[in-house]
Amino acid sequence: MFELFYALEEAAEESSGIDLLLPETSELIAGILAFSIIFLVVWKFALPKLSQILEARQQAITGQLTEAESAKKEAESLLDDYKEQVAGARKEANQIVDDARQSGEALRTDIVAKADAEAAEIAEKARKEASAERERAASRIRDEVAALSLDVAQKVVAGTVDEGAQRDLVARYIDDLGGMG
Amino acid sequence: MDPLILASECDPAKEIICAPTNVIELFQFDEALFSIGPMDFTRTVILTFLAMFIVIGLLYFAFRTPRVVPTKFGAAMESLVLFVRDDVAKGTIGPDGIKYAPYLLSMFLFILVANLFEVTPFINFPLTSRMAIPLFLAVLTWVIFVFVGFKKNGISYLTGIIWPKSVPVALRWLVGLIEFFSTFLLRPITLAVRLFANLVAGHLMLTLLLGSGWIFMSAIGDIGIRSIIGLPWFVFGLGIFVFELVVAVLQAYIFTLLSAVYIQTSVHPEH
């Protein structure tokens, strides 16, 4: 392989190596032309277009984020609403149960009071009736006792005592009975 | 193409020396396929326009229709373009760098495609191994940074280079002289030659290793067992092929980055 490189070196020295270092006119013109066209495309098309793409992407992403944010907010407010409604419904249910309990209680108290009053009334009536009955019985007994006593006394002391004295005697007797009774 | 040139010079049956009579044959295609006025449309010239169409085509198909979700190709081109625009142009030059982004991006894509021709099957020839494109772009960069330097800083751009205030007075003339030559004479030359020489070396290595390896191996009927010498060369050549792929991308990047750095030193010469 050394021979190969040696041969190459020799060859390079033979033909002036400066040819390799100097640009060929046609190639230079082609390079300048090609680069100018590339530059124009990059300058007028690629970079502006890329900025546009990046901006559009940024806007799209920002828009989507904002949208998501607002959707989230809406969902949250909706959830709050629902929570509020559920809480309201629960409160209302409690209220209804409470009310029912209260009115039941009131009804019960009322009924019991009424029953109590009625019972008291019945008892009172019975007591009054009993007392009136007793009064009546007592007075009838007194009358009968008086008549009987008069009869007995008449039979015992017939003729010895005038009628006025008898009556006094009977009355006194009855009073004594009454005081005893 | 190149193995063909080699083959035409090579007669392995007689002599184990395979070489073109002139190394320049590997780089020059003098016969014009056709001519328009003074323009000779040689293979190199046609490849130059092919490179142009490839660059334009890549850009066109990548950015033709704006998409919110880019295709894989679109995303790749986007990241490439944004890399040059944001990292190279803005990152090196500063916020002002966006103005130079079209120039740097055109340069990067053009050189990249021209370099990659080195390892493109059926082309196998880097356009940048010819001096025309590297020299033109290097001179253009030179014109731009000199122009920008004087426009932004007036005459103090020149005096700042030849009479640097940050250097002790005794050394100022020496540093100034070195800086003057380095900035105004060497920069365009080194910029052009760095790219050019890298691709010349790469193309030479690939052509010699793959070409001679292949010729030796295919001459097995004529030279028998001795043709086995072609195998290591060919395998080594394949390794270099991958290496050259990296070189092609890297040299395009270096050229663009250095252009950006040179422009930056003119925009903000105090740094």
Side-chain angles (χ1 to χ4, degrees):
Chain A
M1 276 331 268
F2 284 122
E3 289 154 326
L4 174 67
F5 284 115
Y6 182 66
L8 280 174
E9 260 173 35
E10 223 175 23
E13 273 164 19
E14 274 170 22
S15 73
S16 57
I18 197 77
D19 281 0
L20 210 56
L21 274 170
L22 291 177
E24 196 109 341
T25 317
S26 299
E27 287 171 20
L28 199 58
I29 294 168
I32 291 169
L33 259 175
F35 181 79
S36 309
I37 293 168
I38 289 173
F39 178 75
L40 272 180
V41 170
V42 167
W43 183 37
K44 289 291 177 198
F45 167 77
L47 283 175
K49 197 87 175 172
L50 180 67
S51 303
Q52 193 187 322
I53 288 171
L54 292 180
E55 202 163 306
R57 188 172 304 158
Q58 193 183 2
Q59 266 175 9
I61 290 169
T62 315
Q64 278 166 2
L65 281 180
T66 322
E67 217 167 89
E69 188 70 23
S70 75
K72 193 181 153 202
K73 269 196 186 133
E74 204 182 310
E76 267 170 3
S77 82
L78 219 61
L79 184 66
D80 281 354
D81 272 10
Y82 285 142
K83 271 186 183 158
E84 215 166 279
Q85 277 179 20
V86 168
R90 189 166 294 151
K91 204 169 153 194
E92 208 171 318
N94 284 344
Q95 185 68 41
I96 288 168
V97 169
D98 248 22
D99 282 0
R101 192 177 293 143
Q102 263 174 16
S103 64
E105 188 71 22
L107 207 60
R108 194 179 71 93
T109 320
D110 206 23
I111 288 168
V112 167
K114 249 185 213 161
D116 275 358
E118 221 166 297
E121 204 179 320
I122 289 167
E124 183 66 17
K125 217 179 189 175
R127 203 161 34 238
K128 269 185 186 160
E129 262 172 28
S131 144
E133 199 67 28
R134 202 185 57 190
E135 199 75 17
R136 246 192 332 270
S139 100
R140 210 162 50 221
I141 285 168
R142 201 167 48 199
D143 283 357
E144 270 176 31
V145 166
L148 277 173
S149 314
L150 210 55
D151 276 358
V152 169
Q154 261 176 345
K155 278 173 189 158
V156 171
V157 287
T160 62
V161 182
D162 63 19
E163 204 175 331
Q166 282 173 7
R167 279 201 186 273
D168 285 344
L169 193 71
V170 170
R172 217 166 44 234
Y173 180 69
I174 290 166
D175 280 346
D176 286 351
L177 276 175
M180 284 157 69
Chain B
M1 190 66 139
D2 300 315
L4 295 183
I5 293 170
L6 271 180
S8 68
E9 310 292 336
C10 189
D11 190 358
K14 288 178 188 154
E15 206 180 352
I16 294 281
I17 289 177
C18 251
T21 52
N22 187 336
V23 72
I24 289 174
E25 281 184 24
L26 290 178
F27 297 96
Q28 265 178 348
F29 305 97
D30 281 333
E31 76 280 23
L33 299 167
F34 59 93
S35 296
I36 300 175
M39 269 292 277
D40 290 333
F41 281 77
T42 59
R43 182 169 187 261
T44 311
V45 169
I46 290 165
L47 285 178
T48 304
F49 287 114
L50 179 65
M52 177 191 85
F53 282 120
I54 289 174
V55 170
I56 291 172
L58 286 175
L59 292 171
Y60 176 72
F61 288 112
F63 304 131
R64 177 183 41 168
T65 42
R67 288 172 216 264
V68 174
V69 180
T71 58
K72 272 184 187 168
F73 167 67
M77 283 301 290
E78 246 173 52
S79 54
L80 193 70
V81 170
L82 286 178
F83 168 71
V84 176
R85 191 189 79 175
D86 295 343
D87 291 359
V88 177
K90 277 200 225 164
T92 309
I93 303 171
D96 281 358
I98 194 78
K99 275 194 288 185
Y100 306 97
Y103 173 62
L104 294 171
L105 180 62
S106 313
M107 167 191 278
F108 178 72
L109 291 175
F110 191 33
I111 295 176
L112 182 67
V113 172
N115 283 358
L116 284 173
F117 275 178
E118 180 187 13
V119 286
T120 306
F122 306 111
I123 295 177
N124 297 320
F125 179 67
L127 292 174
T128 35
S129 69
R130 303 291 292 145
M131 203 48 171
I133 292 169
L135 191 67
F136 164 60
L137 290 177
V139 168
L140 198 54
T141 293
W142 183 84
V143 169
I144 289 173
F145 79 71
V146 169
F147 178 76
V148 169
F150 280 111
K151 196 184 162 209
K152 290 248 173 194
N153 311 289
I155 195 69
S156 71
Y157 173 63
L158 186 64
T159 54
I161 287 170
I162 55 176
W163 198 244
K165 293 273 195 301
S166 55
V167 175
V169 183
L171 284 174
R172 235 173 245 180
W173 64 273
L174 180 65
V175 174
L177 197 67
I178 294 170
E179 276 295 300
F180 178 81
F181 277 104
S182 119
T183 305
F184 293 110
L185 292 176
L186 294 180
R187 269 185 188 181
I189 296 170
T190 53
L191 194 58
V193 169
R194 181 182 300 106
L195 177 64
F196 161 80
N198 263 287
L199 275 296
V200 165
H203 182 57
L204 260 180
M205 277 205 287
L206 285 183
T207 317
L208 293 183
L209 292 172
L210 292 176
S212 57
W214 180 252
I215 287 163
F216 279 123
M217 284 195 299
S218 55
I220 192 158
D222 296 323
I223 58 174
I225 193 69
R226 285 195 297 165
S227 72
I228 201 120
I229 194 172
L231 190 67
W233 291 127
F234 195 77
V235 172
F236 186 44
L238 289 180
I240 296 292
F241 189 88
V242 178
F243 176 70
E244 283 306 315
L245 197 67
V246 179
V247 169
V249 178
L250 198 64
Q251 287 303 323
Y253 170 64
I254 289 173
F255 196 99
T256 312
L257 186 70
L258 280 177
S259 293
V261 168
Y262 292 162
I263 292 170
Q264 191 271 337
T265 57
S266 294
V267 176
H268 312 284
E270 67 275 14
H271 297 304

